Each structure stands twice: as structure tokens, then as C-alpha cells.
Amino acid sequence: MAKNTDLIIFGAAGDLANRKLFPALYRLHCAELLEDNVRIMGLARADMSNAEFIQATLESLQKMLGQDEIKDSQWQSFTRRLHYMQLDFVNKRHYANFKSWLVEKRVAIYYLATPPSLFGPISSHLNSAGCVDRLSRIVLEKPIGQDLASSRHVNDTVGQYFDERNIYRIDHYLGKETVQNLLALRFANRVIHSQWDNSCIDHVQITAAETVGIEGRWGYYDNVGQLRDMVQNHLLQLLCMVAMEPPNSLEADEIRAEKVKLMRALRPITGDSVSDDAVRGQYSAGWINGEPVVGYMEEEGSREGSSNTETFVALKAYVDNWRWTGVPFYLRTGKRMGEKLTQVVITYKDSPHSIFESGHTSGNRLVIRLQPNEGIQLEMVSKKQSLKERLSLEKRVLNLDFFETSKKDRIADAYERLLLEVISGNQWLFVSRDEIEASWHWCDSLLAAWYDKNINPKSYGAGSWGPSKAEILIERDDRSWYGSE
Ligand code: BG6
């Protein structure tokens, strides 16, 4: 449990704070997971009193969590934690006022829910105003840079004022229950662990499909694209959790070291392989859940003409190490796809020799679903219950449904876990500088190959599963995407 801690949110009136941070903090408070003396300070540019800030937070919580979840007594006790101060983040002189709110010997956690361009100025101003000591922590949201060089610049700048052990880089996928469950699945189940390599596994698929478009963020997104927005961070983190070697312990340094090792073993996709192993797409108009939606170039805020930014990526990647040689990892992620689906699918090799004649004889598959309906399913081959047929086979599923098994009405949001870990000072679910840089290094080579070969995104209709080339990428290997048939 956390003690003597002040959580200071830069950007307290913004979208992230309202959609994720305050709902998560409120729920932690109601679950009695925040020590009584944890104070929460909201900083923003708006000229508001404490009372006005509390009222605005209440309204936004009611919108996000629904009226029923906000119980009067819990809300009243939560408000005792809340403070607000107006601050112009780029004005050095304004920080003196904020400094007077800090109390010696308490741990200050600075959560930067701001554009990354402010990470440098805020850290520097905090430091000049004497708000940083050896215990102060800083929490950074993605993106950390646009490529390896710019991510180094961000890390160097923040690193001038905060020790690496006090820098918490968020990848919210690591806060998801099912992502942490990958550790349990792999390392607490001998039966799984002993079959987790190229002698048993045929291939791995990782899908993160979204039905949403770019949600009013055209200006930001058009400079970024799906590779930087989703692959460089979330998909590579998932890949690491699936493929890294067993860490020596759950200590943050041990886990992070294994992830870095894995990323460094990723075979670069270069000019020679890029047209076979990588697909870029961009959505055109189509239908989502029976409703018409516009194409990427007609989205609100888009500019005239065309754009070379991808909203879909499919990749075939290899991990060049002892365990995974020869096992392809197929990754795909896109906006405006047929359904919201995030899952990892492990397909096992068939038995070396089949003694059966009829029915479904192909092998096992492990499906780990992150969202929606978090759960794990193991597809098994079983005998059909029948007197008529002697030994005919069928596919049956062992189903671990987390809603059912936990008997809860909801699974905690990633930010609840992540905020708890920041407050308790544990880095195991945060991304180290080395990880960020290794993942940019790999993505940079792919981006350069696309650029050098002049590969533009292929169009796909909103509501589909991406351009047909994404099907070809996997079908060429006699395999198919799971879950989008
Ligand atoms: C964010 C991306 O990091 O993750 C968004 O910037 C994306 O573009 C989002 O929509 C997806 O998160 P989740 O948890 O809904 O899969």
C-alpha cells in the first residue's frame, strides 16, 4: 500500500485524465487500495477554484462510470484528496507557487498527461524550482519519440533531472490483466511451459483490431501512423510477453532485461523482405456495425489531397534465437476493422504421425483473448461420443473465461493497475529506456524500407479485415488469420 505520496497530474483537465486517470483513482479509492494520506493534485491552465475542479471531476466521473457507481459517501471522502492549481506548464516562474504546496519527505509523483513536447520543459522547470529530489518519480505517456533518434532525445532530456529508476514509461497494454496473465500462463503451468518453442509451436499470431477510426486526432495521427501508434509499443510488448525467456524473478530489471534481449533478436525487415513480409493499408469509406463511416481522407480535420500514412499494418516477423528459429510471428493491427479484437493465438504443430482416419485431426491452438471477453481457450482434439463411429475426432475447447471464473462484474482497467504500481514504486509493468530504444531500432528499419521502396498503403474498406495483401502474407505460408474468417 502506498504512503506519504502526492500524485501530481499535469493536464488534469485533459482527455486522458478524465477518461482514464480519475476513474481509475476513484475506483482504487473505493476499493481501499489508496492509503488515506495519498494526495492528488490536478494541474492545468484553466483558471478554476478547487471547488470548480472537484465539480468538473465529478461530472466527468459520472459520465465515464455512470451515476450509480458514484456513491455519495465514497465521493465525499475522495474529494478530500483532491487539490487543484492553475499552472502554465511552460512558464518557469509559475512553478514557485506549486513548490509551496509540496511537503518535505513526501514522495512526489509527476504524471505528465500532456503532449510529449512538454516532457522536457516540465522536467526542467520542476527541477529549477526545487521540486525534484532523489525520491521524485515521473510518469510519461507514449509516444516517446517518433524514431530512435528522437526517443533518445526525449530520454536524455528527462534523464537530466530524473534517474532512470524513477522514470515510469507507460504502455497501457502492460496494465491489462490478460497481458500479466501471460506470465502466469507461461511460467506457472509446466504443461504450457514445456511445449513453448519451435519443436511444438507452428506459428504465433497477434491481432489488435479496432473498429474506431482516428477519433478526431487526424493532425496527430497523420504524422504517426499505425506502425508507430500501435506496433512500436503495444504489439512489440505483447510479442515480448509471449516470446521472452523466463525471467529469473518478477523483479522489474529481470523482466525488462528479457524483453530487451527478445527485441534485439527480432530479425529486421529490410528492403529485401519488406514487400513480402509487411503490408500497409489505409481505410476507405465502409460500414461498421451497420453504420456508414467515412474513409481516412474524409475524416474530420483531414487535409485536401492524399496521405501516405498507414492505418493498418500486417507483418511477418522472426525471432532469431534458439527457442524460436523457424517460427513466424504474424502481427496485424488496424483502425476501422470488422470488430474490436485483441488476441494472441498460438498454433501448435500437428502430431508427427496420424493414426486416425476421420474427423478433425489437426492439432491444438491456444487463444489468449485480451479484449473483449478476456479469456484463454485451448482447442483440443477429442473423440466424438458415438457408437456408430468407432474413433472419429472432433475439436473441443477448454475454456477459461475470466468473467465467469472471477465472478466479478468487471475486469480492472489497465490504468488502475498501472497507477497502483507507480504509487508503490514498482517498475515491472513499465518500459525501460533500453526497451524503447530497441523497439524503435527495429521499427526504424521497417520504416526506412517502406520509404526506400516507395511502398504506399493499400486501400481497404472500413469494416473489413484490411487489404487483401494481408491475407496473401499469411496464405502464402498455407496458414490463415484466426478469428476473421
Ligand atoms: C493507444 C493508441 O495507445 O491505444 C490508440 O494511441 C489506440 O490509437 C489505443 O486506439 C488502443 O488501446 P486499447 O486498449 O483500446 O486496445
PDB file of all heavy atoms in Angstrom, residues 15-48:
ATOM      1  N   ASP A  15      -8.109  14.992 -21.760  1.00  0.00           N
ATOM      2  CA  ASP A  15      -8.840  13.787 -22.134  1.00  0.00           C
ATOM      3  C   ASP A  15      -8.368  12.546 -21.353  1.00  0.00           C
ATOM      4  O   ASP A  15      -9.180  11.801 -20.806  1.00  0.00           O
ATOM      5  CB  ASP A  15      -8.577  13.604 -23.643  1.00  0.00           C
ATOM      6  CG  ASP A  15      -9.478  12.571 -24.221  1.00  0.00           C
ATOM      7  OD1 ASP A  15     -10.694  12.691 -24.001  1.00  0.00           O
ATOM      8  OD2 ASP A  15      -8.964  11.631 -24.857  1.00  0.00           O
ATOM      9  N   LEU A  16      -7.070  12.351 -21.273  1.00  0.00           N
ATOM     10  CA  LEU A  16      -6.550  11.164 -20.587  1.00  0.00           C
ATOM     11  C   LEU A  16      -6.930  11.191 -19.100  1.00  0.00           C
ATOM     12  O   LEU A  16      -7.365  10.184 -18.537  1.00  0.00           O
ATOM     13  CB  LEU A  16      -5.021  11.092 -20.735  1.00  0.00           C
ATOM     14  CG  LEU A  16      -4.373   9.912 -20.020  1.00  0.00           C
ATOM     15  CD1 LEU A  16      -4.730   8.594 -20.702  1.00  0.00           C
ATOM     16  CD2 LEU A  16      -2.855  10.066 -19.962  1.00  0.00           C
ATOM     17  N   ALA A  17      -6.776  12.356 -18.495  1.00  0.00           N
ATOM     18  CA  ALA A  17      -7.096  12.463 -17.069  1.00  0.00           C
ATOM     19  C   ALA A  17      -8.579  12.151 -16.842  1.00  0.00           C
ATOM     20  O   ALA A  17      -8.929  11.383 -15.938  1.00  0.00           O
ATOM     21  CB  ALA A  17      -6.771  13.870 -16.576  1.00  0.00           C
ATOM     22  N   ASN A  18      -9.427  12.704 -17.686  1.00  0.00           N
ATOM     23  CA  ASN A  18     -10.862  12.495 -17.472  1.00  0.00           C
ATOM     24  C   ASN A  18     -11.331  11.097 -17.850  1.00  0.00           C
ATOM     25  O   ASN A  18     -12.171  10.512 -17.182  1.00  0.00           O
ATOM     26  CB  ASN A  18     -11.670  13.528 -18.267  1.00  0.00           C
ATOM     27  CG  ASN A  18     -11.674  14.855 -17.544  1.00  0.00           C
ATOM     28  OD1 ASN A  18     -11.824  14.899 -16.319  1.00  0.00           O
ATOM     29  ND2 ASN A  18     -11.466  15.932 -18.280  1.00  0.00           N
ATOM     30  N   ARG A  19     -10.772  10.566 -18.931  1.00  0.00           N
ATOM     31  CA  ARG A  19     -11.256   9.252 -19.387  1.00  0.00           C
ATOM     32  C   ARG A  19     -10.656   8.108 -18.574  1.00  0.00           C
ATOM     33  O   ARG A  19     -11.298   7.092 -18.355  1.00  0.00           O
ATOM     34  CB  ARG A  19     -10.907   9.048 -20.863  1.00  0.00           C
ATOM     35  CG  ARG A  19     -11.991   9.528 -21.809  1.00  0.00           C
ATOM     36  CD  ARG A  19     -11.748   9.158 -23.248  1.00  0.00           C
ATOM     37  NE  ARG A  19     -10.374   9.207 -23.656  1.00  0.00           N
ATOM     38  CZ  ARG A  19      -9.629   8.149 -23.953  1.00  0.00           C
ATOM     39  NH1 ARG A  19     -10.141   6.958 -23.899  1.00  0.00           N
ATOM     40  NH2 ARG A  19      -8.384   8.285 -24.327  1.00  0.00           N
ATOM     41  N   LYS A  20      -9.379   8.254 -18.177  1.00  0.00           N
ATOM     42  CA  LYS A  20      -8.688   7.115 -17.571  1.00  0.00           C
ATOM     43  C   LYS A  20      -8.209   7.344 -16.143  1.00  0.00           C
ATOM     44  O   LYS A  20      -8.418   6.501 -15.275  1.00  0.00           O
ATOM     45  CB  LYS A  20      -7.460   6.745 -18.441  1.00  0.00           C
ATOM     46  CG  LYS A  20      -7.823   6.203 -19.812  1.00  0.00           C
ATOM     47  CD  LYS A  20      -8.436   4.838 -19.679  1.00  0.00           C
ATOM     48  CE  LYS A  20      -8.778   4.195 -20.988  1.00  0.00           C
ATOM     49  NZ  LYS A  20      -9.459   2.902 -20.806  1.00  0.00           N
ATOM     50  N   LEU A  21      -7.506   8.482 -15.898  1.00  0.00           N
ATOM     51  CA  LEU A  21      -6.810   8.609 -14.614  1.00  0.00           C
ATOM     52  C   LEU A  21      -7.776   8.806 -13.436  1.00  0.00           C
ATOM     53  O   LEU A  21      -7.694   8.073 -12.446  1.00  0.00           O
ATOM     54  CB  LEU A  21      -5.783   9.746 -14.676  1.00  0.00           C
ATOM     55  CG  LEU A  21      -4.752   9.628 -15.809  1.00  0.00           C
ATOM     56  CD1 LEU A  21      -3.728  10.761 -15.741  1.00  0.00           C
ATOM     57  CD2 LEU A  21      -4.044   8.281 -15.745  1.00  0.00           C
ATOM     58  N   PHE A  22      -8.695   9.760 -13.565  1.00  0.00           N
ATOM     59  CA  PHE A  22      -9.587   9.978 -12.421  1.00  0.00           C
ATOM     60  C   PHE A  22     -10.528   8.785 -12.185  1.00  0.00           C
ATOM     61  O   PHE A  22     -10.705   8.380 -11.030  1.00  0.00           O
ATOM     62  CB  PHE A  22     -10.342  11.314 -12.547  1.00  0.00           C
ATOM     63  CG  PHE A  22      -9.435  12.481 -12.243  1.00  0.00           C
ATOM     64  CD1 PHE A  22      -9.093  13.406 -13.223  1.00  0.00           C
ATOM     65  CD2 PHE A  22      -8.867  12.616 -10.987  1.00  0.00           C
ATOM     66  CE1 PHE A  22      -8.213  14.447 -12.940  1.00  0.00           C
ATOM     67  CE2 PHE A  22      -7.988  13.662 -10.700  1.00  0.00           C
ATOM     68  CZ  PHE A  22      -7.663  14.571 -11.677  1.00  0.00           C
ATOM     69  N   PRO A  23     -11.103   8.173 -13.250  1.00  0.00           N
ATOM     70  CA  PRO A  23     -11.902   6.973 -12.972  1.00  0.00           C
ATOM     71  C   PRO A  23     -11.082   5.879 -12.265  1.00  0.00           C
ATOM     72  O   PRO A  23     -11.544   5.262 -11.309  1.00  0.00           O
ATOM     73  CB  PRO A  23     -12.350   6.503 -14.367  1.00  0.00           C
ATOM     74  CG  PRO A  23     -12.359   7.752 -15.182  1.00  0.00           C
ATOM     75  CD  PRO A  23     -11.237   8.601 -14.654  1.00  0.00           C
ATOM     76  N   ALA A  24      -9.832   5.692 -12.695  1.00  0.00           N
ATOM     77  CA  ALA A  24      -9.014   4.645 -12.070  1.00  0.00           C
ATOM     78  C   ALA A  24      -8.722   5.009 -10.613  1.00  0.00           C
ATOM     79  O   ALA A  24      -8.832   4.171  -9.713  1.00  0.00           O
ATOM     80  CB  ALA A  24      -7.711   4.471 -12.845  1.00  0.00           C
ATOM     81  N   LEU A  25      -8.384   6.269 -10.360  1.00  0.00           N
ATOM     82  CA  LEU A  25      -8.070   6.675  -8.982  1.00  0.00           C
ATOM     83  C   LEU A  25      -9.308   6.556  -8.086  1.00  0.00           C
ATOM     84  O   LEU A  25      -9.223   6.107  -6.942  1.00  0.00           O
ATOM     85  CB  LEU A  25      -7.549   8.124  -8.969  1.00  0.00           C
ATOM     86  CG  LEU A  25      -6.133   8.271  -9.537  1.00  0.00           C
ATOM     87  CD1 LEU A  25      -5.811   9.739  -9.826  1.00  0.00           C
ATOM     88  CD2 LEU A  25      -5.093   7.693  -8.561  1.00  0.00           C
ATOM     89  N   TYR A  26     -10.435   6.942  -8.638  1.00  0.00           N
ATOM     90  CA  TYR A  26     -11.673   6.843  -7.841  1.00  0.00           C
ATOM     91  C   TYR A  26     -11.961   5.387  -7.480  1.00  0.00           C
ATOM     92  O   TYR A  26     -12.312   5.065  -6.338  1.00  0.00           O
ATOM     93  CB  TYR A  26     -12.844   7.464  -8.630  1.00  0.00           C
ATOM     94  CG  TYR A  26     -14.135   7.357  -7.875  1.00  0.00           C
ATOM     95  CD1 TYR A  26     -14.340   8.089  -6.710  1.00  0.00           C
ATOM     96  CD2 TYR A  26     -15.146   6.493  -8.305  1.00  0.00           C
ATOM     97  CE1 TYR A  26     -15.519   7.967  -5.985  1.00  0.00           C
ATOM     98  CE2 TYR A  26     -16.327   6.367  -7.594  1.00  0.00           C
ATOM     99  CZ  TYR A  26     -16.509   7.103  -6.431  1.00  0.00           C
ATOM    100  OH  TYR A  26     -17.671   6.974  -5.701  1.00  0.00           O
ATOM    101  N   ARG A  27     -11.776   4.503  -8.452  1.00  0.00           N
ATOM    102  CA  ARG A  27     -12.056   3.089  -8.176  1.00  0.00           C
ATOM    103  C   ARG A  27     -11.050   2.512  -7.171  1.00  0.00           C
ATOM    104  O   ARG A  27     -11.409   1.701  -6.319  1.00  0.00           O
ATOM    105  CB  ARG A  27     -12.021   2.291  -9.479  1.00  0.00           C
ATOM    106  CG  ARG A  27     -13.300   2.508 -10.270  1.00  0.00           C
ATOM    107  CD  ARG A  27     -13.264   1.842 -11.604  1.00  0.00           C
ATOM    108  NE  ARG A  27     -14.615   1.596 -12.099  1.00  0.00           N
ATOM    109  CZ  ARG A  27     -14.890   1.229 -13.352  1.00  0.00           C
ATOM    110  NH1 ARG A  27     -13.920   1.083 -14.220  1.00  0.00           N
ATOM    111  NH2 ARG A  27     -16.129   1.003 -13.713  1.00  0.00           N
ATOM    112  N   LEU A  28      -9.804   2.932  -7.270  1.00  0.00           N
ATOM    113  CA  LEU A  28      -8.809   2.461  -6.292  1.00  0.00           C
ATOM    114  C   LEU A  28      -9.179   2.956  -4.897  1.00  0.00           C
ATOM    115  O   LEU A  28      -9.060   2.237  -3.909  1.00  0.00           O
ATOM    116  CB  LEU A  28      -7.395   2.951  -6.665  1.00  0.00           C
ATOM    117  CG  LEU A  28      -6.768   2.338  -7.921  1.00  0.00           C
ATOM    118  CD1 LEU A  28      -5.425   3.005  -8.217  1.00  0.00           C
ATOM    119  CD2 LEU A  28      -6.576   0.828  -7.752  1.00  0.00           C
ATOM    120  N   HIS A  29      -9.639   4.195  -4.848  1.00  0.00           N
ATOM    121  CA  HIS A  29     -10.064   4.764  -3.563  1.00  0.00           C
ATOM    122  C   HIS A  29     -11.215   3.931  -2.982  1.00  0.00           C
ATOM    123  O   HIS A  29     -11.178   3.545  -1.816  1.00  0.00           O
ATOM    124  CB  HIS A  29     -10.500   6.223  -3.781  1.00  0.00           C
ATOM    125  CG  HIS A  29     -11.170   6.830  -2.603  1.00  0.00           C
ATOM    126  ND1 HIS A  29     -10.464   7.405  -1.577  1.00  0.00           N
ATOM    127  CD2 HIS A  29     -12.493   6.935  -2.268  1.00  0.00           C
ATOM    128  CE1 HIS A  29     -11.318   7.839  -0.649  1.00  0.00           C
ATOM    129  NE2 HIS A  29     -12.554   7.569  -1.057  1.00  0.00           N
ATOM    130  N   CYS A  30     -12.215   3.643  -3.821  1.00  0.00           N
ATOM    131  CA  CYS A  30     -13.385   2.897  -3.328  1.00  0.00           C
ATOM    132  C   CYS A  30     -12.988   1.486  -2.903  1.00  0.00           C
ATOM    133  O   CYS A  30     -13.588   0.918  -1.997  1.00  0.00           O
ATOM    134  CB  CYS A  30     -14.479   2.827  -4.398  1.00  0.00           C
ATOM    135  SG  CYS A  30     -15.140   4.449  -4.771  1.00  0.00           S
ATOM    136  N   ALA A  31     -11.983   0.927  -3.557  1.00  0.00           N
ATOM    137  CA  ALA A  31     -11.548  -0.428  -3.200  1.00  0.00           C
ATOM    138  C   ALA A  31     -10.570  -0.401  -2.021  1.00  0.00           C
ATOM    139  O   ALA A  31      -9.995  -1.428  -1.666  1.00  0.00           O
ATOM    140  CB  ALA A  31     -10.895  -1.095  -4.407  1.00  0.00           C
ATOM    141  N   GLU A  32     -10.372   0.782  -1.442  1.00  0.00           N
ATOM    142  CA  GLU A  32      -9.469   0.981  -0.302  1.00  0.00           C
ATOM    143  C   GLU A  32      -8.045   0.542  -0.614  1.00  0.00           C
ATOM    144  O   GLU A  32      -7.366  -0.067   0.208  1.00  0.00           O
ATOM    145  CB  GLU A  32     -10.006   0.256   0.937  1.00  0.00           C
ATOM    146  CG  GLU A  32     -11.358   0.814   1.336  1.00  0.00           C
ATOM    147  CD  GLU A  32     -11.949   0.171   2.568  1.00  0.00           C
ATOM    148  OE1 GLU A  32     -11.274  -0.665   3.162  1.00  0.00           O
ATOM    149  OE2 GLU A  32     -13.081   0.536   2.912  1.00  0.00           O
ATOM    150  N   LEU A  33      -7.624   0.835  -1.825  1.00  0.00           N
ATOM    151  CA  LEU A  33      -6.251   0.492  -2.206  1.00  0.00           C
ATOM    152  C   LEU A  33      -5.323   1.707  -2.179  1.00  0.00           C
ATOM    153  O   LEU A  33      -4.142   1.591  -2.452  1.00  0.00           O
ATOM    154  CB  LEU A  33      -6.243  -0.158  -3.598  1.00  0.00           C
ATOM    155  CG  LEU A  33      -6.831  -1.568  -3.620  1.00  0.00           C
ATOM    156  CD1 LEU A  33      -7.073  -2.043  -5.046  1.00  0.00           C
ATOM    157  CD2 LEU A  33      -5.926  -2.543  -2.886  1.00  0.00           C
ATOM    158  N   LEU A  34      -5.889   2.869  -1.871  1.00  0.00           N
ATOM    159  CA  LEU A  34      -5.041   4.055  -1.713  1.00  0.00           C
ATOM    160  C   LEU A  34      -4.969   4.384  -0.231  1.00  0.00           C
ATOM    161  O   LEU A  34      -6.009   4.500   0.424  1.00  0.00           O
ATOM    162  CB  LEU A  34      -5.654   5.270  -2.428  1.00  0.00           C
ATOM    163  CG  LEU A  34      -5.715   5.293  -3.948  1.00  0.00           C
ATOM    164  CD1 LEU A  34      -6.292   6.633  -4.406  1.00  0.00           C
ATOM    165  CD2 LEU A  34      -4.336   5.081  -4.548  1.00  0.00           C
ATOM    166  N   GLU A  35      -3.758   4.525   0.288  1.00  0.00           N
ATOM    167  CA  GLU A  35      -3.624   4.940   1.692  1.00  0.00           C
ATOM    168  C   GLU A  35      -4.307   6.296   1.874  1.00  0.00           C
ATOM    169  O   GLU A  35      -4.341   7.112   0.952  1.00  0.00           O
ATOM    170  CB  GLU A  35      -2.140   5.104   2.039  1.00  0.00           C
ATOM    171  CG  GLU A  35      -1.432   3.814   2.361  1.00  0.00           C
ATOM    172  CD  GLU A  35      -1.665   3.358   3.800  1.00  0.00           C
ATOM    173  OE1 GLU A  35      -1.927   4.210   4.655  1.00  0.00           O
ATOM    174  OE2 GLU A  35      -1.587   2.148   4.032  1.00  0.00           O
ATOM    175  N   ASP A  36      -4.800   6.518   3.084  1.00  0.00           N
ATOM    176  CA  ASP A  36      -5.552   7.746   3.334  1.00  0.00           C
ATOM    177  C   ASP A  36      -4.767   9.002   2.990  1.00  0.00           C
ATOM    178  O   ASP A  36      -5.327   9.996   2.574  1.00  0.00           O
ATOM    179  CB  ASP A  36      -5.952   7.831   4.804  1.00  0.00           C
ATOM    180  CG  ASP A  36      -7.082   6.873   5.083  1.00  0.00           C
ATOM    181  OD1 ASP A  36      -7.642   6.339   4.098  1.00  0.00           O
ATOM    182  OD2 ASP A  36      -7.370   6.642   6.269  1.00  0.00           O
ATOM    183  N   ASN A  37      -3.461   8.940   3.204  1.00  0.00           N
ATOM    184  CA  ASN A  37      -2.733  10.200   3.031  1.00  0.00           C
ATOM    185  C   ASN A  37      -2.165  10.398   1.612  1.00  0.00           C
ATOM    186  O   ASN A  37      -1.276  11.206   1.428  1.00  0.00           O
ATOM    187  CB  ASN A  37      -1.643  10.346   4.095  1.00  0.00           C
ATOM    188  CG  ASN A  37      -0.631   9.239   3.973  1.00  0.00           C
ATOM    189  OD1 ASN A  37      -0.765   8.392   3.105  1.00  0.00           O
ATOM    190  ND2 ASN A  37       0.377   9.251   4.826  1.00  0.00           N
ATOM    191  N   VAL A  38      -2.680   9.693   0.639  1.00  0.00           N
ATOM    192  CA  VAL A  38      -2.270   9.979  -0.746  1.00  0.00           C
ATOM    193  C   VAL A  38      -3.054  11.211  -1.223  1.00  0.00           C
ATOM    194  O   VAL A  38      -4.288  11.198  -1.254  1.00  0.00           O
ATOM    195  CB  VAL A  38      -2.561   8.778  -1.683  1.00  0.00           C
ATOM    196  CG1 VAL A  38      -2.279   9.141  -3.129  1.00  0.00           C
ATOM    197  CG2 VAL A  38      -1.734   7.560  -1.273  1.00  0.00           C
ATOM    198  N   ARG A  39      -2.315  12.263  -1.570  1.00  0.00           N
ATOM    199  CA  ARG A  39      -2.984  13.476  -2.066  1.00  0.00           C
ATOM    200  C   ARG A  39      -2.916  13.494  -3.595  1.00  0.00           C
ATOM    201  O   ARG A  39      -1.956  12.995  -4.173  1.00  0.00           O
ATOM    202  CB  ARG A  39      -2.287  14.735  -1.538  1.00  0.00           C
ATOM    203  CG  ARG A  39      -2.191  14.818  -0.033  1.00  0.00           C
ATOM    204  CD  ARG A  39      -1.687  16.198   0.413  1.00  0.00           C
ATOM    205  NE  ARG A  39      -0.343  16.505  -0.066  1.00  0.00           N
ATOM    206  CZ  ARG A  39       0.242  17.698   0.063  1.00  0.00           C
ATOM    207  NH1 ARG A  39      -0.402  18.709   0.617  1.00  0.00           N
ATOM    208  NH2 ARG A  39       1.475  17.903  -0.373  1.00  0.00           N
ATOM    209  N   ILE A  40      -3.924  14.085  -4.211  1.00  0.00           N
ATOM    210  CA  ILE A  40      -3.937  14.173  -5.673  1.00  0.00           C
ATOM    211  C   ILE A  40      -4.028  15.646  -6.061  1.00  0.00           C
ATOM    212  O   ILE A  40      -4.982  16.333  -5.669  1.00  0.00           O
ATOM    213  CB  ILE A  40      -5.141  13.397  -6.264  1.00  0.00           C
ATOM    214  CG1 ILE A  40      -5.065  11.917  -5.847  1.00  0.00           C
ATOM    215  CG2 ILE A  40      -5.188  13.531  -7.788  1.00  0.00           C
ATOM    216  CD1 ILE A  40      -6.328  11.116  -6.152  1.00  0.00           C
ATOM    217  N   MET A  41      -3.051  16.101  -6.811  1.00  0.00           N
ATOM    218  CA  MET A  41      -3.055  17.499  -7.249  1.00  0.00           C
ATOM    219  C   MET A  41      -3.280  17.548  -8.763  1.00  0.00           C
ATOM    220  O   MET A  41      -2.541  16.912  -9.522  1.00  0.00           O
ATOM    221  CB  MET A  41      -1.707  18.141  -6.895  1.00  0.00           C
ATOM    222  CG  MET A  41      -1.427  19.463  -7.593  1.00  0.00           C
ATOM    223  SD  MET A  41      -2.653  20.735  -7.214  1.00  0.00           S
ATOM    224  CE  MET A  41      -1.925  21.512  -5.794  1.00  0.00           C
ATOM    225  N   GLY A  42      -4.298  18.278  -9.183  1.00  0.00           N
ATOM    226  CA  GLY A  42      -4.515  18.474 -10.611  1.00  0.00           C
ATOM    227  C   GLY A  42      -3.908  19.802 -11.042  1.00  0.00           C
ATOM    228  O   GLY A  42      -4.139  20.826 -10.392  1.00  0.00           O
ATOM    229  N   LEU A  43      -3.119  19.761 -12.108  1.00  0.00           N
ATOM    230  CA  LEU A  43      -2.549  20.997 -12.643  1.00  0.00           C
ATOM    231  C   LEU A  43      -3.038  21.173 -14.073  1.00  0.00           C
ATOM    232  O   LEU A  43      -3.020  20.226 -14.868  1.00  0.00           O
ATOM    233  CB  LEU A  43      -1.020  20.914 -12.651  1.00  0.00           C
ATOM    234  CG  LEU A  43      -0.311  20.748 -11.304  1.00  0.00           C
ATOM    235  CD1 LEU A  43       1.188  20.532 -11.518  1.00  0.00           C
ATOM    236  CD2 LEU A  43      -0.541  21.957 -10.412  1.00  0.00           C
ATOM    237  N   ALA A  44      -3.482  22.375 -14.383  1.00  0.00           N
ATOM    238  CA  ALA A  44      -3.904  22.666 -15.760  1.00  0.00           C
ATOM    239  C   ALA A  44      -3.863  24.174 -15.955  1.00  0.00           C
ATOM    240  O   ALA A  44      -3.619  24.926 -15.000  1.00  0.00           O
ATOM    241  CB  ALA A  44      -5.303  22.117 -16.006  1.00  0.00           C
ATOM    242  N   ARG A  45      -4.082  24.576 -17.202  1.00  0.00           N
ATOM    243  CA  ARG A  45      -4.023  26.017 -17.476  1.00  0.00           C
ATOM    244  C   ARG A  45      -5.258  26.769 -17.039  1.00  0.00           C
ATOM    245  O   ARG A  45      -5.225  27.976 -16.825  1.00  0.00           O
ATOM    246  CB  ARG A  45      -3.905  26.218 -18.989  1.00  0.00           C
ATOM    247  CG  ARG A  45      -2.483  26.134 -19.396  1.00  0.00           C
ATOM    248  CD  ARG A  45      -2.351  26.430 -20.825  1.00  0.00           C
ATOM    249  NE  ARG A  45      -1.066  25.904 -21.228  1.00  0.00           N
ATOM    250  CZ  ARG A  45      -0.455  26.250 -22.301  1.00  0.00           C
ATOM    251  NH1 ARG A  45      -1.006  27.104 -23.115  1.00  0.00           N
ATOM    252  NH2 ARG A  45       0.710  25.739 -22.589  1.00  0.00           N
ATOM    253  N   ALA A  46      -6.381  26.034 -16.945  1.00  0.00           N
ATOM    254  CA  ALA A  46      -7.658  26.708 -16.694  1.00  0.00           C
ATOM    255  C   ALA A  46      -7.669  27.392 -15.335  1.00  0.00           C
ATOM    256  O   ALA A  46      -7.129  26.871 -14.361  1.00  0.00           O
ATOM    257  CB  ALA A  46      -8.779  25.683 -16.769  1.00  0.00           C
ATOM    258  N   ASP A  47      -8.304  28.575 -15.316  1.00  0.00           N
ATOM    259  CA  ASP A  47      -8.439  29.321 -14.076  1.00  0.00           C
ATOM    260  C   ASP A  47      -9.668  28.770 -13.351  1.00  0.00           C
ATOM    261  O   ASP A  47     -10.798  29.116 -13.679  1.00  0.00           O
ATOM    262  CB  ASP A  47      -8.624  30.804 -14.451  1.00  0.00           C
ATOM    263  CG  ASP A  47      -8.717  31.659 -13.211  1.00  0.00           C
ATOM    264  OD1 ASP A  47      -8.504  31.121 -12.116  1.00  0.00           O
ATOM    265  OD2 ASP A  47      -9.008  32.860 -13.366  1.00  0.00           O
ATOM    266  N   MET A  48      -9.442  27.891 -12.392  1.00  0.00           N
ATOM    267  CA  MET A  48     -10.562  27.245 -11.679  1.00  0.00           C
ATOM    268  C   MET A  48     -10.254  27.248 -10.193  1.00  0.00           C
ATOM    269  O   MET A  48      -9.086  27.122  -9.805  1.00  0.00           O
ATOM    270  CB  MET A  48     -10.615  25.753 -12.059  1.00  0.00           C
ATOM    271  CG  MET A  48     -11.521  25.356 -13.164  1.00  0.00           C
ATOM    272  SD  MET A  48     -11.621  23.538 -13.243  1.00  0.00           S
ATOM    273  CE  MET A  48     -10.140  23.095 -14.081  1.00  0.00           C
TER     274      MET A  48
END
